[in-house]
């Protein structure tokens, strides 16, 4: 007869999390503890190696959690609560706004991802609800949206008062909502790398704010403590761990990290108390998330992936985030909403029939993709075709020559242009111009036909030279897979309600420029957005 399995407190879900943490911690070797502190890239992982709208964004968080759990993943690197103060930054589209109050409101997505924190929960304690939820990550701590000239991973030069009043408030809200983890920024604050900033990580975040989840580095973030990166890896590991980082995103050469940290502990440069603090925090999140009871993917969630209700939610988000910047030339009637019934309409532009362009970076791949073969969705062109009257002829010409629009009789035209996909430093832009042939398409079409220009961009871009030739202008941002949401509003099934969450500049010479600045002279101010009423008569 087989021996009865030994009872262990850490495996007993009826024990308190504190008891479970201390029991498991007492059983762990140094190698196992450092293993908990090491996050590697999935491509090198194997069994042998490891064994509304805040309301709307909350619903989106809940839907995202379901789809993430369906893949077997229990942790998401979201939300990004950067406050982008300069659109030249290549990560500006990851930021909800230049205004910290908007970003604070959007932390409601944490409650969607993790679940609603219990009323009696202690502030700062991580919370993850049932098996339909995932651990969230507030990032990038702190000041990543304020770097000089919007250069990614650069230096944010600002007083402590400015850092606390602009870039820190959303972290207070995130901690109050029980966020499980905080990721450190590549950037520096007044010349000090955030990955090395013990005062802000341990002193402020952990001690003063009493954050009880774990702190994670960014991808190879500790390597970049030195310049050039990885120049003195032992120093980087020592500095990052002493600063208060609990889990290190290595991600590939994990053996070097493990060997280095083990040596630092054995030589008493890193005390075991710092290791135990890190592992306690990591185990607290894992126990809270129920990973010891539910370690594997739940196949009953498979139907959550790409579920129609989730696509409908994404389509609703597209409708509500469109911002109408212009509707009608002087002394002319508004163009929008467009009539569904028309003899012949022209749809043009590089972004009209391209899901990759609609989705942008950080999608199927890091830098995004091009074309319609990498994901399932509805392009803006598809949405237009599905929305217009069956008798309306839709002509699609991606890049018409100068004579095309004037030689064909069109009732009106829809031009969809914008930025190509990018992520991180590859999106840094000093001029913020629309890539060619976008500007020429606008001129070739809007010079001869009444037109609405739909911009698919991650941020405000240079449009002042072209606005006068447009009849209407819509900022569609990055609508993702549900391009039908754009058509829903263009043709009046729903009205335009969105407002700018960031300032639209006239020229890049004005940057950085944010609402509240003394010399505030934008093309379209923060909070601007024309409205239309749904057209129910079509």
């Amino acid at each position: 007869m087989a021996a009865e399995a030994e009872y262990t407190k850490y495996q007993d879900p009826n024990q308190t999390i504190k008891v479970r943490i201390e029991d498991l911690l007492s059983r762990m070797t140094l190698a196992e503890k450092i293993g908990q502190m090491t996050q590697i890239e999935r491509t090198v992982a194997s069994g042998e190696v490891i064994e509304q709208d805040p309301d709307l964004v909350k619903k989106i968080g809940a839907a995202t959690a379901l789809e993430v759990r369906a893949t077997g993943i229990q942790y998401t690197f979201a939300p990004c609560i950067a406050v982008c103060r300069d659109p030249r930054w290549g990560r500006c589209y990851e930021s909800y706004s230049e205004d910290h109050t908007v970003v604070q409101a959007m932390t409601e997505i944490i409650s969607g991802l993790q679940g609603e924190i219990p009323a009696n929960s202690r502030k700062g304690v991580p919370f993850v609800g049932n098996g339909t939820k995932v651990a969230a990550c507030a990032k990038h701590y702190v000041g990543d949206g304020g770097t000089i000239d919007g250069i990614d991973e650069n230096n944010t030069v600002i007083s402590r008062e400015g850092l606390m009043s602009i870039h820190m408030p959303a972290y207070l809200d995130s901690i109050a909502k029980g966020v499980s983890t905080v990721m450190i920024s590549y950037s520096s604050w007044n010349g000090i790398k955030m990955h090395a900033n013990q005062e802000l990580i341990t002193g402020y975040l952990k001690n003063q704010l009493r954050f009880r989840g774990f702190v994670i580095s960014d991808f190879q973030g500790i390597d970049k403590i030195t310049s050039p990166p990885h120049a003195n890896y032992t120093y980087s590991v020592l500095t990052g761990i002493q600063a208060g980082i609990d889990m290190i995103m290595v991600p590939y050469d994990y053996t070097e990290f493990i060997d280095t940290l083990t040596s630092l502990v054995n030589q008493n440069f890193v005390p075991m108390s710092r290791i135990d603090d890190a592992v306690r925090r990591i185990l607290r999140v894992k126990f809270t998330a129920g990973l010891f009871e539910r370690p594997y993917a739940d196949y009953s969630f498979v139907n959550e992936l790409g579920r129609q209700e989730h696509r409908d939610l994404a389509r609703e988000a597209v409708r509500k985030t469109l911002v109408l910047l212009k509707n009608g030339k002087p002394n002319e009637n508004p163009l929008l909403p467009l009539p569904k019934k028309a003899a012949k309409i022209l749809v043009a532009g590089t972004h009209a029939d391209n899901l990759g362009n609609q989705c942008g970076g950080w999608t199927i791949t890091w830098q995004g993709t091009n074309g319609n073969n990498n994901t399932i969705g509805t392009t803006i062109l598809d949405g237009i075709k599905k929305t217009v009257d069956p008798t309306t002829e839709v002509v699609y010409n991606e890049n018409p020559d100068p004579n095309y629009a004037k030689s064909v009789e069109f009732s009106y035209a829809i031009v969809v242009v914008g930025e190509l996909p990018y992520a991180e430093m590859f999106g840094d832009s000093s001029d913020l111009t629309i890539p060619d042939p976008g500007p020429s398409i606008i001129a070739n079409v809007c010079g001869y036909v009444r037109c609405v220009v739909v911009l698919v961009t991650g941020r405000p871009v240079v449009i002042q030279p072209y606005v006068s030739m447009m009849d209407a202008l819509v900022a569609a941002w990055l609508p993702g897979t549900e391009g039908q949401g754009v058509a829903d509003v263009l043709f009046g099934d729903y009205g335009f309600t969105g407002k700018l969450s960031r300032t639209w500049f006239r020229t890049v010479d004005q940057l950085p420029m944010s609402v509240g600045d003394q010399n505030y002279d934008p093309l379209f101010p923060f909070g601007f957005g024309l409205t239309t009423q749904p057209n129910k008569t079509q």
Side-chain angles (χ1 to χ4, degrees), residues 82-149:
V83 182
C84 176
R85 306 291 283 182
D86 193 324
R88 290 174 291 186
W89 185 37
R91 306 192 76 158
C92 199
Y93 67 86
E94 298 180 49
S95 164
Y96 292 110
S97 178
E98 69 188 41
D99 182 352
H100 70 84
T101 60
V102 175
V103 179
Q104 287 178 265
M106 292 298 107
T107 61
E108 191 65 17
I109 196 172
I110 293 169
S111 300
L113 291 166
Q114 298 191 155
E116 203 72 56
I117 191 168
N120 61 349
S121 180
R122 286 173 53 205
K123 183 181 176 183
V125 175
F127 176 76
V128 183
N130 56 35
T132 67
K133 300 299 182 181
V134 295
C137 179
K139 64 181 191 180
H140 307 85
Y141 185 84
V142 60
D144 51 342
T147 57
I148 296 172
D149 296 333

Side-chain angles (χ1 to χ4, degrees), residues 141 192-207 238-245 274:
Y141 185 84
I192 300 174
K193 290 276 190 178
M194 276 308 306
H195 278 74
N197 198 316
Q198 184 181 43
E199 191 271 321
L200 280 180
I201 298 173
T202 298
Y204 187 75
L205 179 64
K206 289 184 171 182
N207 294 345
L238 177 63
T239 303
I241 296 297
Q242 286 184 329
I245 302 173
R274 172 75 269 269

Side-chain angles (χ1 to χ4, degrees), residues 7 9-10 12-17 19-20:
Y7 169 78
K9 289 182 179 179
Y10 80 86
D12 183 355
N14 294 317
Q15 295 284 350
T16 65
I17 287 178
V19 168
R20 297 177 77 183

Side-chain angles (χ1 to χ4, degrees), residues 378-401:
T378 304
T379 68
I380 294 172
L381 176 64
D382 290 335
I384 292 168
K385 289 179 176 178
K386 291 176 183 176
T387 304
V388 296
D389 189 88
T391 63
T392 299
E393 181 183 356
V394 177
V395 178
Y396 172 58
N397 187 328
E398 180 180 326
N399 186 10
D401 65 52

Side-chain angles (χ1 to χ4, degrees), residues 74-354:
Q74 306 102 340
Y75 181 23
T76 181
F77 287 154
C80 176
I81 53 173
V83 182
C84 176
R85 306 291 283 182
D86 193 324
R88 290 174 291 186
W89 185 37
R91 306 192 76 158
C92 199
Y93 67 86
E94 298 180 49
S95 164
Y96 292 110
S97 178
E98 69 188 41
D99 182 352
H100 70 84
T101 60
V102 175
V103 179
Q104 287 178 265
M106 292 298 107
T107 61
E108 191 65 17
I109 196 172
I110 293 169
S111 300
L113 291 166
Q114 298 191 155
E116 203 72 56
I117 191 168
N120 61 349
S121 180
R122 286 173 53 205
K123 183 181 176 183
V125 175
F127 176 76
V128 183
N130 56 35
T132 67
K133 300 299 182 181
V134 295
C137 179
K139 64 181 191 180
H140 307 85
Y141 185 84
V142 60
D144 51 342
T147 57
I148 296 172
D149 296 333
I151 297 172
D152 192 37
E153 304 182 12
N154 203 359
N155 190 21
T156 296
V157 178
I158 193 172
S159 67
R160 186 179 184 88
E161 180 186 14
L163 187 79
M164 292 296 168
S165 63
I166 295 173
H167 298 283
M168 192 65 78
Y171 287 95
L172 308 187
D173 291 80
S174 298
I175 291 167
K177 289 179 169 67
V179 73
S180 295
T181 71
V182 171
M183 185 185 293
I184 303 303
S185 176
Y186 287 126
S187 59
S188 303
W189 175 46
N190 294 339
I192 300 174
K193 290 276 190 178
M194 276 308 306
H195 278 74
N197 198 316
Q198 184 181 43
E199 191 271 321
L200 280 180
I201 298 173
T202 298
Y204 187 75
L205 179 64
K206 289 184 171 182
N207 294 345
Q208 190 166 336
L209 298 184
R210 299 186 62 78
F211 172 61
R212 290 293 177 264
F214 70 79
V215 174
I216 186 169
S217 79
D218 208 330
F219 187 97
Q220 295 179 324
I222 62 165
D223 299 50
K224 298 183 180 183
I225 288 174
T226 60
S227 182
H230 207 85
N232 186 338
Y233 194 61
T234 300
Y235 168 80
S236 294
V237 172
L238 177 63
T239 303
I241 296 297
Q242 286 184 329
I245 302 173
D246 304 306
M247 184 179 285
I248 305 297
M249 210 187 302
V250 180
Y252 302 112
D253 195 356
Y254 53 88
T255 56
E256 181 189 24
F257 168 72
I258 291 171
D259 292 345
T260 301
L261 183 52
T262 302
S263 176
L264 286 168
V265 174
N266 288 333
Q267 296 180 66
N268 297 319
F269 286 105
V270 174
M272 188 58 74
S273 59
R274 172 75 269 269
I275 299 296
D276 286 349
D277 169 61
V279 178
R280 278 191 184 95
R281 291 168 175 277
I282 293 164
L283 292 180
R284 185 176 292 122
V285 172
K286 290 185 175 182
F287 279 125
T288 302
L291 298 193
F292 286 81
E293 290 72 53
R294 300 182 298 270
Y296 304 115
D298 186 337
Y299 290 111
S300 67
F301 287 165
V302 69
N303 293 328
E304 298 292 341
L305 286 169
R307 190 170 136 195
Q308 188 57 49
E309 289 87 344
H310 297 168
R311 291 188 178 276
D312 292 343
L313 193 61
R315 180 173 167 183
E316 178 186 355
V318 172
R319 291 196 296 261
K320 291 182 175 178
T321 53
L322 298 175
V323 182
L324 181 57
L325 299 175
K326 180 180 181 180
N327 192 16
K329 292 179 178 176
N331 304 316
E332 291 186 9
N333 292 327
L335 179 60
L336 301 176
L338 298 169
K340 294 180 180 178
K341 193 167 186 176
K344 184 184 291 188
I345 65 174
L346 171 63
V347 179
T350 49
H351 290 54
D353 190 32
N354 195 306

